[in-house]
C-alpha cells in the first residue's frame, strides 16, 4: 500500500442523472456538459450536442483538449440502427526532418513516454513538438454527415464561454501549478496562465473570490470558426496565422499540412460479447485492444452481481496479453504514471442517438505553447512517436499518431451505452471493466461507475483500488506484482470515464466520481 495523508472515514459518491424522453450529456466539466444539454433542449440531436460540447470543453479545460488537438468518436444513429466511427488523430507535418530531433544520450525522457531523450526535449515541449491538429476536422465531418443545426449555433456557445474567462478554483490552480515551469518557457502561455509570467496562478481563499484567466483571444478565434466554418481553421486566414505563429516559434507546420488534413469516417470494429455487441474505433486507437480483451474474457463465466477475484484476475490477464502485443506491434509504449491531457464526453438524445468522443492535446497543456495571434493552446503530438528509428512507431514525416483513446458504444438486449475515458494508457483498463460491469453483471450505470477498479497499463505492476476486499487483493497478489492505492481527484491513479446509458425511453448519464468538475446534465425543454 502506498502511504497517504487522506481520511479513511471520507466517502465520495455521485448520483446518476436520469431523464425520461430527454437527452443527457456526461462530460469532465459541468459547463461543457451544460452547453451540450442546451443544444439538445433547443432541438438539436446527439451529434449537434457533441460538436458544441467539443468546442466548449476546449475552453473550460484548455489544458486537456481543444481545436488544436485530435481524437476519435463513436456514433450510433437510431433511425439507421447503425454505428459509425470518426477518427481525427494528429499527423506529423510533411516537412518534419528527423535530424531536428537528435538523441541526447542522457537516458529516458520524462512526461508521457519513456523514449530515448531528445536534445532540448524538442519532441515534447515547444513548437517543434506540434503536430497537425484534427479536432476541428473531426467535428466538421460529423456535422457534414449528421448535423441538423447551423454550425454557427454549435460553436458560438464556446466563444461565449471563453469571453467570460476561465474561472480559477483550487482544481484549476493545482493543474496550472503542476506545469508552471514549462509554461513559463513560452511568453504567451506564461502571460495567459501564470502570475507575472512566472508564478502559479492561485485561487482565492474565500467564497467571494472570482479570479479568472483572460481568454479573449481564444474567444475571438472560436467566433471566427463559428462564423466562417471549419475550413477557416484549415484553409482560411486563421490557418495562415496559425502556421505563421508556429513557424515563427520554430515549428515546421505548413499551410499544405493544414489544407490536406482529413478526418476519416468508417465502420467500427465490432466485438460480440455476452449476447451483445461492443463497437470501437478501428486503427490507431486502443479499440482493437478492447476487442481482443473481450474475446479473451468471453471464454470465461463470472458469477455474482459484481466483479470478484476471478473477474479482476481475468481483467489483468487479458490486459497483459493485449498490452504485450500493443507495445510490440503497435509501437505505443507510454508511461502510465505521467499526467495525460485528454477529455471524454458522451451524449444521448431523446431519439436514442448516441455519441462518445475522446479528444486530447496529448500531454497536459500539450506543447505548452499558446499562439499569440489566435490564443490557441497547441498539441505536442510529435511526442507520440519514438525518436529512435526502425521501430513500429518511429518518428517520420506525414505519419499518423497512435492514440490511446477508446470511445465505445455497447448494446445488450434493450440497453445501449456510450462510454469512454481520459487517462492515457489507463483508458483501456477502465473501459474494459466498465463494459464488463454492464454486460457481465448487469450493473446499473451508477453502480458501474462506483465499482472499484484495477489498472494494468503494460508495465510490470497492477494498481489496485485499496477499497477492494482483502480477499480480492490477496488473490491478485498471488500471480502479479501489485500495489494498492487510493482513488483520488489528483493525481488520478485510474482513468476518468464519462458515460450515458439508454433503456427504453429512459436516458442516464454518469461521470468519474472523483472528478471535481465532471457532471452529467440533462436537457431541460421547459426553460427553467
Amino acid at each position: 500500500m502506498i502511504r497517504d495523508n487522506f481520511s479513511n472515514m471520507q466517502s465520495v459518491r455521485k448520483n446518476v442523472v436520469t431523464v425520461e424522453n430527454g437527452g443527457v450529456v456526461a462530460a469532465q466539466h459541468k459547463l461543457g456538459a451544460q452547453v451540450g444539454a442546451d443544444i439538445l433542449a433547443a432541438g438539436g440531436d446527439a451529434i449537434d450536442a457533441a460538436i458544441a460540447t467539443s468546442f466548449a470543453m476546449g475552453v473550460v479545460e484548455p489544458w486537456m483538449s481543444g481545436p488544436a488537438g485530435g481524437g476519435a468518436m463513436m456514433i450510433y444513429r437510431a433511425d439507421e440502427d447503425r454505428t459509425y466511427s470518426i477518427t481525427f488523430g494528429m499527423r506529423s507535418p510533411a516537412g518534419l526532418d528527423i535530424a531536428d530531433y537528435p538523441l541526447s544520450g542522457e537516458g529516458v525522457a520524462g512526461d508521457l513516454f519513456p523514449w530515448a531523450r531528445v536534445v532540448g526535449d524538442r519532441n515534447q515541449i515547444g513548437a517543434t513538438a506540434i503536430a497537425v491538429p484534427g479536432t476541428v476536422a473531426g467535428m466538421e465531418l460529423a456535422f457534414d454527415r449528421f448535423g441538423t443545426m447551423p454550425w454557427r449555433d454549435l460553436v458560438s456557445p464556446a466563444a461565449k464561454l471563453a469571453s467570460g474567462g476561465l474561472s480559477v478554483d483550487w482544481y484549476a490552480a493545482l493543474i496550472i501549478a503542476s506545469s508552471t515551469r514549462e509554461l513559463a518557457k513560452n511568453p504567451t502561455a506564461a502571460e495567459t496562465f501564470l502570475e507575472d509570467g512566472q508564478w502559479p496562478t492561485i485561487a482565492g481563499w474565500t467564497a467571494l473570490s472570482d479570479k479568472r484567466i483572460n481568454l479573449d483571444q481564444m474567444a475571438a478565434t472560436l467566433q471566427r470558426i463559428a462564423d466562417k466554418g471549419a475550413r477557416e481553421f484549415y484553409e482560411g486566414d486563421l490557418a495562415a496565422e496559425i502556421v505563421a505563429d508556429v513557424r515563427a516559434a520554430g515549428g515546421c507546420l505548413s499551410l499544405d499540412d493544414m489544407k490536406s488534413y482529413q478526418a476519416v469516417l468508417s465502420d467500427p470494429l465490432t466485438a460480440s460479447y455476452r449476447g451483445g455487441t461492443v463497437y470501437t474505433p478501428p486503427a490507431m486507437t486502443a479499440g482493437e485492444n478492447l476487442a481482443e480483451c473481450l474475446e479473451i474474457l468471453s471464454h470465461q463465466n463470472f458469477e455474482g452481481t459484481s466483479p470478484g477475484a476471478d473477474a479482476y484476475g481475468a481483467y489483468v490477464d487479458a490486459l497483459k496479453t493485449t498490452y504485450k502485443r500493443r507495445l510490440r506491434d503497435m509501437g505505443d509504449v507510454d508511461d502510465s504514471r505521467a499526467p495525460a491531457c485528454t477529455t471524454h464526453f458522451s451524449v444521448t438524445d431523446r431519439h436514442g442517438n448516441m455519441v462518445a468522443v475522446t479528444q486530447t492535446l496529448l500531454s497536459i497543456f500539450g506543447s505548452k505553447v499558446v499562439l499569440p495571434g489566435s490564443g490557441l493552446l497547441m498539441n505536442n503530438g510529435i511526442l507520440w512517436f519514438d525518436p529512435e528509428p526502425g521501430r513500429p512507431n518511429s518518428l517520420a514525416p506525414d505519419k499518423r499518431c497512435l492514440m490511446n483513446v477508446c470511445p465505445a458504444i455497447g448494446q445488450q438486449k434493450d440497453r445501449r451505452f456510450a462510454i469512454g475515458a481520459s487517462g492515457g494508457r489507463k483508458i483501456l483498463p477502465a473501459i474494459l471493466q466498465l463494459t464488463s460491469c454492464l454486460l457481465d453483471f448487469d450493473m446499473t450505470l451508477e453502480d458501474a461507475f462506483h465499482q472499484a477498479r484495477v489498472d494494468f497499463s503494460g508495465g510490470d505492476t497492477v494498481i489496485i483500488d485499496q477499497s477492494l476486499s482483502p480477499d480480492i487483493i490477496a488473490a491478485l497478489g498471488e500471480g502479479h506484482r501489485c500495489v494498492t492505492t487510493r482513488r483520488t481527484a489528483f493525481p488520478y491513479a485510474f482513468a476518468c470515464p464519462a458515460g450515458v446509458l439508454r433503456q427504453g425511453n429512459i436516458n442516464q448519464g454518469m461521470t468519474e466520481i472523483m472528478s471535481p468538475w465532471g457532471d452529467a446534465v440533462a436537457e431541460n425543454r421547459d426553460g427553467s
Side-chain angles (χ1 to χ4, degrees), residues 347-358:
V347 184
T348 183
D349 63 26
R350 61 175 49 226
H351 307 294
N353 300 307
M354 285 189 170
V355 184
V357 180
T358 310

Side-chain angles (χ1 to χ4, degrees), residues 38-245:
D38 288 345
I39 292 296
L40 294 177
D45 78 355
I47 284 288
D48 301 312
I51 294 168
T53 302
S54 170
F55 284 100
M57 293 301 291
V59 174
V60 296
E61 284 186 319
W63 43 77
M64 290 294 183
S65 70
M73 72 168 75
M74 294 298 302
I75 300 165
Y76 173 73
R77 303 302 291 174
D79 59 346
E80 302 177 60
D81 191 25
R82 182 176 175 182
T83 305
Y84 298 88
S85 170
I86 294 180
T87 52
F88 47 96
M90 301 169 230
R91 294 188 73 96
S92 58
L96 180 143
D97 185 350
I98 59 174
D100 290 336
Y101 302 85
L103 303 181
S104 68
E106 297 177 356
V108 176
D111 206 38
L112 288 176
F113 300 79
W115 309 134
R117 190 158 198 166
V118 169
V119 172
D121 293 325
R122 291 170 58 82
N123 60 337
Q124 177 176 323
I125 298 172
T128 52
I130 296 172
V132 186
T135 297
V136 177
M139 297 306 132
E140 177 189 33
L141 181 54
F143 173 79
D144 289 344
R145 183 66 173 80
F146 304 109
T148 69
M149 292 180 65
W151 173 264
R152 188 179 191 279
D153 293 350
L154 304 181
V155 184
S156 291
K160 183 177 180 180
L161 270 180
S163 67
L166 177 68
S167 178
V168 180
D169 54 22
W170 68 265
Y171 189 60
L174 184 61
I175 295 292
I176 294 169
S178 71
S179 295
T180 294
R181 186 185 299 273
E182 291 80 15
L183 290 170
K185 297 175 182 178
N186 177 256
T188 309
E191 180 183 359
T192 302
F193 291 107
L194 305 181
E195 298 281 2
D196 300 325
Q198 60 181 328
W199 310 111
T201 297
I202 304 298
W205 287 97
T206 72
L208 300 179
S209 173
D210 187 25
K211 191 167 193 174
R212 291 180 179 267
I213 289 172
N214 187 310
L215 297 179
D216 285 349
Q217 281 184 299
M218 181 189 290
T221 296
L222 289 168
Q223 196 58 56
R224 288 172 70 178
I225 296 171
D227 293 339
K228 297 185 177 183
R231 287 297 95 193
E232 173 68 11
F233 184 85
Y234 289 100
E235 300 177 7
D237 291 340
L238 175 58
E241 292 171 16
I242 290 172
V243 167
D245 280 347

Side-chain angles (χ1 to χ4, degrees), residues 455-473:
D455 179 76
F456 179 82
S457 305
D460 61 357
T461 303
V462 178
I463 308 298
I464 304 173
D465 187 328
Q466 67 185 45
S467 69
L468 281 172
S469 72
D471 290 346
I472 293 176
I473 295 174

Side-chain angles (χ1 to χ4, degrees), residues 259-273:
K259 288 181 177 179
S260 63
Y261 182 89
Q262 291 185 334
V264 178
L265 174 69
S266 62
D267 291 327
L269 297 176
T270 60
S272 298
Y273 189 71

Side-chain angles (χ1 to χ4, degrees), residues 275-404:
T277 306
V278 178
Y279 302 89
T280 64
M284 307 309 290
T285 71
E288 67 178 82
N289 301 104
L290 177 59
E292 181 179 17
C293 287
L294 292 175
E295 165 61 23
I296 294 170
L297 294 186
S298 69
H299 299 287
Q300 303 181 54
N301 291 312
F302 307 128
E303 297 181 353
T305 58
S306 63
D310 58 341
Y312 283 108
Y315 301 153
V316 173
D317 289 341
L319 289 165
K320 282 191 171 184
T321 297
T322 200
Y323 267 115
K324 182 178 180 180
R325 183 179 66 82
R326 182 175 175 88
L327 301 183
R328 182 190 64 237
D329 299 336
M330 300 175 71
D332 181 20
V333 290
D334 60 325
D335 183 345
S336 63
R337 298 167 297 177
C341 169
T342 307
T343 198
H344 179 85
F345 55 90
S346 296
V347 184
T348 183
D349 63 26
R350 61 175 49 226
H351 307 294
N353 300 307
M354 285 189 170
V355 184
V357 180
T358 310
Q359 56 188 40
T360 183
L361 293 178
L362 183 48
S363 295
I364 194 151
F365 286 97
S367 60
K368 280 75 175 178
V369 172
V370 176
L371 301 185
S374 62
L376 293 177
L377 183 56
M378 301 302 290
N379 70 75
N380 65 333
I382 298 304
L383 184 59
W384 253 312
F385 299 105
D386 188 338
E388 295 190 78
R391 298 182 177 180
N393 199 34
S394 292
L395 180 62
D398 196 25
K399 186 175 182 179
R400 289 187 299 168
C401 300
L402 176 64
M403 302 181 289
N404 291 306

